[in-house]
Amino acid sequence: MKDIMNMNVKKIAFGAAVVFFANFASAQTLQDGINSVDSDKYAQAKTNFTDMIAKAPTAENYFYLGNTFLRQGDPDYAKATESFNKGLAADSKSYLNKIGLATVKLGKGDKSAIAEIQKVVTDSKEKDAEVLFRAAEALTLFEKNNSPDLAIQFLNKAIERAQKKEVPANYYYTLGDAYRLKKNPGDAMSAYDKALPLAKNKASVYTRMGTLWMAAQLWQKAKESIDKAIAVDPTYAPAYKALASYDIRYQENAKATQDLINYTKYADEDPYTLLEISKLYFTNEDYTNSKAVLDKIFDKINDPIKFKLRAYQLYADGKYADAKQNMDTFVSQAEQSRVQPSDQGLQGLIAAGLAKTETDAAKKSALNAEAQQKIAIAKAAKDETMKWDMELAKISGGGASQADADSGPTNATIDALKKQAAADPKNTDVLYKLATAYQDAKNWNGAILTWQKVIVLLPDWAPAYYSQGYSYQQAGNNEAAKLAYEKFIATVKPADQEANKQILSYAYFAVAYISKTSDVAKAKDYVAKSLQLDPTYQDAVKLNAELNK
């Protein structure tokens, strides 16, 4: 499962403004607040800026408080807007607060805000590096609503203006963020390289480098950069968040849990920070901790996104009615721009789960229709939050659970291999032997789950998909079997097809056989391909005759 709240779009570090005040102590206080935001200490930052406003209710101070609400894991647009409006009440010409209000619009999906930000910059006559920087930062904050080219233009001008004194590190690493949005990792890394010698806390830059390497799937380089971040500042919370993402990728669930414990230790207990932690626990399939953290803050958060996360947790537990109630609450309370295709997909899966136990024929049909329609929306958007077809197949055919595997047939060989796998969860040789042992014992749930672990570690190794398909078929879940066989067919490399003709022939036949009543055209196509590979395969010969009579 991928990050269910588009977690990859949230910035690891959000930058530091350079604002020069005559009063040195005031500047220090501002920098303390900005450093807190950069370290995911949002509660501390809000306290800091609120205290500054109490002492001096300036437009700039209101902007930085409002900006903190935008930078937290899930933006609080209402509180950000309130603060920016107070800033404009203090100074109706405040360019920063005008940018803040436009950023709120952009975050909500109104792309006309890009032109508004551009107009603010034009009205400022492009003299203030801070205005240029904050405009650019706003244009890089949201993955789906942004303008990286314009951001790069503003940042280059900000850098030019700042060169009279010293270019702040965050100007360069925000430039890197803009290049990331353009899918230009080379220029992004070059910008981070320029930020590194200028940064007072190099952990911020190393963490960004690490997440960039992760985005490029260069995992070893990612780990090296994250390790450097922790080495230079062991208290820098965002580095542990990045490390958790790395360990989740490698199915190192225990390590990821420890990373999240460290993140919690060095961030602060702002409710929205804890909400992010709950999401990460969920992504790590640590549903117990995810629920415990969410329960702790549920009544402290007004943002309806809490209902969405609760819905995912309940869906994972198979509590479809409760999941529906929470998802309906989220959709009814959230602004429409915040409802994602993945949310529609989840609603579809919940409907499928409800349909499975519905006894009224008309209601059952309506739920199944809703499931297909809403899952189709997620698939059309190419959303990969969940494996939609496989999740649907699991619901309809009965998904394999660890409890089912543990209660199924076992023997001394399985018990010994389970201990080895627990001690070394990335040992694919041990996992292969365990999956095979489960199959030999006809513990199909155990085989399905173990082949899935092999697939996570070796996603390009085709035989694992075939074996998982066979296990699903033996367990009676034909839809899931069909999807696994199709993945096997797609994963076999052209150079290996000749050596695997017979097994490919069976895979094509299996898909054809499962599809013969639901998709005749597909069944005819697949059985023909089966016979092309092995014309003597009698089951395929009979099915072909049956389909074409």
Side-chain angles (χ1 to χ4, degrees), residues 338-352:
R338 297 184 69 188
V339 180
Q340 303 295 320
S342 59
D343 302 330
Q344 304 254 40
L346 179 62
Q347 287 178 307
L349 292 175
I350 291 169

Side-chain angles (χ1 to χ4, degrees), residues 433-447:
K433 291 176 180 177
L434 177 57
T436 303
Y438 273 131
Q439 287 186 177
D440 291 343
K442 297 186 178 180
N443 184 333
W444 305 115
N445 288 311

Side-chain angles (χ1 to χ4, degrees), residues 53-258:
I53 290 169
K55 295 174 184 175
T58 64
E60 290 81 4
N61 288 345
Y62 279 116
F63 168 76
Y64 289 110
L65 177 60
N67 212 39
T68 303
F69 286 109
L70 288 183
R71 297 304 185 261
Q72 62 192 26
D74 278 294
D76 188 331
Y77 295 122
K79 289 186 178 179
T81 299
E82 179 185 350
S83 192
F84 295 141
N85 281 331
K86 287 180 179 178
L88 284 171
D91 178 2
S92 61
K93 295 181 179 180
S94 172
Y95 298 125
L96 289 178
N97 284 290
K98 289 178 181 179
I99 289 171
L101 289 175
T103 307
V104 170
K105 288 180 65 175
L106 189 59
K108 292 180 178 181
D110 185 346
K111 293 188 179 181
S112 69
I114 295 172
E116 291 185 23
I117 292 171
Q118 193 167 19
K119 185 178 185 305
V120 174
V121 172
T122 300
D123 290 346
S124 75
K125 303 187 186 305
E126 301 185 359
K127 293 180 178 179
D128 190 334
E130 174 69 356
V131 170
L132 286 162
F133 167 68
R134 289 298 176 180
E137 187 182 51
L139 295 170
T140 63
L141 186 58
F142 309 106
E143 186 184 36
K144 294 183 179 179
N145 304 303
N146 56 64
S147 181
D149 287 320
L150 187 58
I152 290 167
Q153 178 185 327
F154 289 160
L155 283 163
N156 284 330
K157 289 179 180 178
I159 290 168
E160 182 182 342
R161 300 285 184 278
Q163 280 175 342
K164 296 176 182 178
K165 295 180 180 179
E166 182 181 45
V167 180
N170 57 298
Y171 283 27
Y172 282 115
Y173 60 62
T174 304
L175 181 62
D177 295 341
Y179 279 120
R180 286 176 80 150
L181 288 171
K182 284 174 61 68
K183 311 291 186 190
N184 190 336
D187 285 342
M189 191 59 75
S190 294
Y192 294 154
D193 283 336
K194 290 178 181 178
L196 194 58
L198 300 171
K200 292 182 179 178
N201 188 349
K202 299 186 188 306
S204 177
V205 183
Y206 280 129
T207 300
R208 284 171 175 262
M209 289 177 166
T211 58
L212 179 60
W213 287 125
M214 279 197 278
Q217 297 189 16
L218 295 171
W219 302 102
Q220 186 57 43
K221 287 183 177 293
K223 182 66 162 52
E224 290 171 1
S225 292
I226 296 168
D227 286 346
K228 287 179 182 177
I230 293 171
V232 297
D233 184 358
T235 69
Y236 187 67
Y240 294 101
K241 185 176 178 181
L243 186 58
S245 297
Y246 173 88
D247 285 329
I248 288 169
R249 164 64 177 76
Y250 279 100
Q251 299 290 297
E252 296 278 11
N253 290 19
K255 288 184 179 179
T257 293
Q258 185 58 52

